[in-house]
Amino acid sequence: MKTQIALLFTISLIMIACANRAEGQVPDAVSKAFEAKYPGENDPDWETDANGYYESSFKIDGKHYRADFDKDGNWIETERSVEFDDLPKPVKKMIESEYDRSEITEIEEVEHPEKGLFYDIEFKRKGKNKDIMITKEGKVIN
């Protein structure tokens, strides 16, 4: 009986290890799309996000980026966290005139295939946080 339990335990561990290895694999189309978009960056960390996209984490010139791709290798967006003081002047001016800066919980610079470059500003709100997308010229796009 002890041998059977030990064997069952060993088989379970092997199955878990194999499942974890498969989970970390990225489809070839995604790897190739990443390499084409970010040549020279060959060591991204990968995970699957809440939308089912493959999210790579990597650094360029010491700055941390996250890029999302769908299962077919289509680029979804690239983002990086930034500080308020690093925002373009029109973006800072727009935020300061329309919103309470103290309610900002996160700022991300986002590059998107259709929307181009914009800043995603997240504010604390009762219930669900509020996101505002602002172009580098200070125009709200959502």
Side-chain angles (χ1 to χ4, degrees):
M1 181 71 166
K2 287 182 183 180
T3 305
Q4 290 173 333
I5 291 174
L7 182 59
L8 183 61
F9 180 74
T10 303
I11 291 171
S12 297
L13 285 177
I14 291 170
M15 290 175 65
I16 290 169
C18 290
N20 287 341
R21 192 176 317 126
E23 208 174 272
Q25 293 177 344
V26 176
D28 285 340
V30 174
S31 295
K32 288 178 182 175
F34 177 84
E35 290 169 14
K37 180 108 177 111
Y38 300 102
E41 173 50 52
N42 58 5
D43 191 27
D45 293 325
W46 290 98
E47 63 181 51
T48 306
D49 70 11
N51 297 314
Y53 296 136
Y54 291 90
E55 183 176 89
S56 60
S57 295
F58 58 99
K59 286 186 179 181
I60 297 175
D61 297 330
K63 295 177 182 175
H64 183 158
Y65 292 83
R66 294 169 309 279
D68 294 341
F69 297 84
D70 70 14
K71 65 180 176 53
D72 297 320
N74 297 307
W75 173 62
I76 306 301
E77 68 180 13
T78 301
E79 56 194 18
R80 74 178 179 97
S81 296
V82 296
E83 298 296 323
F84 183 84
D85 292 338
D86 296 327
L87 292 171
K89 286 181 183 181
V91 176
K92 289 193 268 190
K93 184 177 177 183
M94 188 276 179
I95 291 170
E96 289 174 333
S97 70
E98 300 291 326
Y99 300 96
D100 183 353
R101 182 177 163 189
S102 69
E103 291 184 350
I104 295 174
T105 58
E106 183 178 31
I107 303 172
E108 293 180 318
E109 179 183 75
V110 181
E111 184 183 359
H112 190 275
E114 285 105 33
K115 297 175 186 174
L117 180 71
F118 66 90
Y119 296 89
D120 184 3
I121 317 297
E122 184 176 295
F123 295 90
K124 316 182 254 204
R125 295 284 191 246
K126 289 182 181 178
K128 186 178 180 183
N129 286 353
K130 178 178 184 168
D131 282 277
I132 304 294
M133 292 184 268
I134 306 172
T135 66
K136 63 184 177 186
E137 295 82 20
K139 180 183 172 196
V140 175
I141 58 174
N142 66 330

